[in-house]
Amino acid sequence: MTKRDWMRQRLWFTTVPLLAVLFSAQLSAQSAPPEEATEQSEEQSQEQSQAERYPTHPPTEADRIWVDGFRDGVQTVLDSTASWVDGFFGEPLDSDKYEGSTGRLIVAPQWDEHDGFSIDSSFRAKLKIPHAKEQFSAVIGRGDFDDFVAGDAQRRPSVMRRTQGDDEWLVGLGFDPYLDNQHDLSFGAGIRGGLKLDTYVRARYRFETMVADNAEIAVQSVGFWRDSDGFGVAQDIHHEVALHQRWVAKTYARATFAERTDGIRWNANSRIYYLYDTNRALASEVWIYGETHHEAPIQDYGIRGIHRQRFLREWLFMETWIGTHWPKETELQQRTTRWMVGIEFEMILGNTG
């Protein structure tokens, strides 16, 4: 068994029990009798407690063991790893000094009429290392390299197919000098691909501002070098606007060019949310992606209907969705309608207050 197969097997046995518990809990929650709706003023809702603002169905004891225990276990591993990394910069400190690592874990089982069944997953964590001062941090993650260098601001939809070589583990160190609330600067270096030692360095600058009372725009530029691709640049733009008290639209686009790749990799997606409850929303999404010098420059585009909600805890989100897309991998291939359906769990690590 190769190292990659071992890691995949370990991820499978780690995530499948969690998914089984979450799914069974959702079924039991849906079978519960609905409560009567009550009207509250905006001031009253602001005074609600955290539990009232994020209502959850009472979890079973199994939910507590698997959901809370799983998150606590991951958080403990992150804090212990932060302590180990910080040891390179000085004498170990008390364990509570390393609490505060943050991150995100996403697991998304899905079925696609074109690709069959798969489990898309990604993980990213930022570790606190006190001896290296607040501007420095260690990062570890698994996922697409383009998403990793872009940071936590945005990620492409899980329905966009990843190349096998890009979906790998990455570790590194980051330096984040504070500028101000509108400008953000970050530097980083590390390795990807495990024992392949595919080294990388990157510099990231982000600017965001309000362009209207109800609209915000963010522009991000990334310069990087990695051993497998040479020098490269990535440009992101994100626009968010509140159309109404319950309607929000988000649009995101990215273009990436590397020295030893053909053409420009690009993708874009847009979502419109309807917030019908404090913790629940319906959304429609369109997306498209491709490569300029690929045999099929537009590799895929599609549309999805999505339901997103907090699930059991304030730090756990669930998306269920169904959609259709039109993939094309070769010049001669004819586009045909392909259906897809899936569920996605997103767990936020660290302080959620």
Side-chain angles (χ1 to χ4, degrees):
M1 180 182 295
T2 65
K3 182 178 180 65
R4 175 176 293 180
D5 293 336
W6 177 83
M7 293 174 68
R8 286 178 178 172
Q9 188 180 61
R10 184 175 180 182
L11 179 64
W12 172 267
F13 284 109
T14 302
T15 56
V16 166
L18 173 65
L19 294 174
V21 172
L22 296 180
F23 187 69
S24 63
Q26 174 68 0
L27 291 179
S28 64
Q30 290 178 346
S31 63
E35 299 179 356
E36 292 185 4
T38 59
E39 295 184 3
Q40 295 180 327
S41 67
E42 184 176 353
E43 292 182 358
Q44 289 175 321
S45 64
Q46 291 176 349
E47 295 174 356
Q48 287 179 318
S49 65
Q50 186 78 352
E52 292 171 330
R53 287 182 59 82
Y54 305 114
T56 58
H57 296 283
T60 65
E61 186 63 26
D63 296 333
R64 295 183 184 276
I65 293 175
W66 284 101
V67 178
D68 296 331
F70 181 85
R71 183 175 186 263
D72 290 344
V74 174
Q75 194 72 50
T76 299
V77 171
L78 293 182
D79 294 342
S80 299
T81 304
S83 175
W84 178 77
V85 174
D86 195 48
F88 290 99
F89 298 90
E91 293 295 326
L93 303 175
D94 294 337
S95 59
D96 60 351
K97 299 295 184 181
Y98 301 100
E99 296 177 356
S101 298
T102 60
R104 176 185 288 112
L105 171 65
I106 296 172
V107 181
Q110 52 193 266
W111 175 84
D112 185 340
E113 192 177 1
H114 180 73
D115 292 326
F117 178 79
S118 63
I119 297 182
D120 186 75
S121 62
S122 64
F123 171 72
R124 179 179 174 89
K126 186 175 182 179
L127 308 180
K128 184 178 180 181
I129 46 178
H131 279 306
K133 299 183 180 181
E134 294 184 357
Q135 291 91 345
F136 286 87
S137 60
V139 291
I140 181 172
R142 181 183 185 275
D144 182 83
F145 180 79
D146 290 351
D147 297 338
F148 192 83
V149 299
D152 294 328
Q154 285 293 323
R155 60 181 180 85
R156 62 179 174 174
S158 60
V159 293
M160 293 188 182
R161 298 192 299 278
R162 306 168 189 268
T163 59
Q164 187 63 37
D166 276 343
D167 200 13
E168 296 177 330
W169 285 94
L170 302 96
V171 295
L173 291 175
F175 173 61
D176 307 300
Y178 176 77
L179 297 181
D180 55 44
N181 293 332
Q182 287 187 311
H183 304 265
D184 182 67
L185 186 63
S186 175
F187 302 93
I191 60 173
R192 63 184 287 270
L195 297 178
K196 294 179 182 180
L197 297 180
D198 188 5
T199 56
Y200 74 89
V201 295
R202 57 104 181 129
R204 183 171 62 228
Y205 170 74
R206 179 179 175 84
F207 170 76
E208 57 183 76
T209 185
M210 300 294 297
V211 293
D213 292 339
N214 64 334
E216 180 183 46
I217 190 170
V219 179
Q220 179 173 273
S221 301
V222 181
F224 64 88
W225 175 89
R226 59 174 172 173
D227 191 44
S228 59
D229 271 356
F231 290 97
V233 293
Q235 184 65 52
D236 296 11
I237 184 168
H238 173 233
H239 180 258
E240 180 173 339
V241 57
L243 302 173
H244 186 266
Q245 185 177 3
R246 292 183 177 271
W247 292 89
V248 178
K250 297 183 179 183
T251 301
Y252 175 72
R254 175 190 300 165
T256 304
F257 172 78
E259 186 179 4
R260 288 196 289 268
T261 59
D262 295 327
I264 297 174
R265 297 189 297 269
W266 57 272
N267 66 82
N269 69 287
S270 182
R271 283 187 181 188
I272 296 181
Y273 290 91
Y274 172 63
L275 311 176
Y276 72 92
D277 186 77
T278 305
N279 305 293
R280 297 175 178 87
L282 296 172
S284 62
E285 177 189 63
V286 293
W287 83 89
I288 185 172
Y289 71 90
E291 292 185 64
T292 56
H293 290 177
H294 191 273
E295 188 175 357
I298 300 178
Q299 294 175 299
D300 198 9
Y301 55 86
I303 185 171
R304 290 193 296 171
I306 302 168
H307 180 265
R308 181 175 175 85
Q309 67 176 79
R310 289 184 185 271
F311 182 53
L312 294 178
R313 298 291 188 270
E314 63 176 5
W315 38 259
L316 187 61
F317 297 86
M318 181 178 71
E319 284 189 1
T320 52
W321 51 266
I322 184 171
T324 186
H325 67 132
W326 292 266
K328 183 175 181 179
E329 299 175 353
T330 65
E331 182 179 2
L332 299 179
Q333 182 181 6
Q334 296 295 319
R335 296 189 190 272
T336 57
T337 302
R338 300 293 185 179
W339 287 95
M340 49 172 42
V341 62
I343 185 170
E344 177 177 300
F345 298 97
E346 179 180 6
M347 178 178 290
I348 308 300
L349 303 170
N351 181 21
T352 58

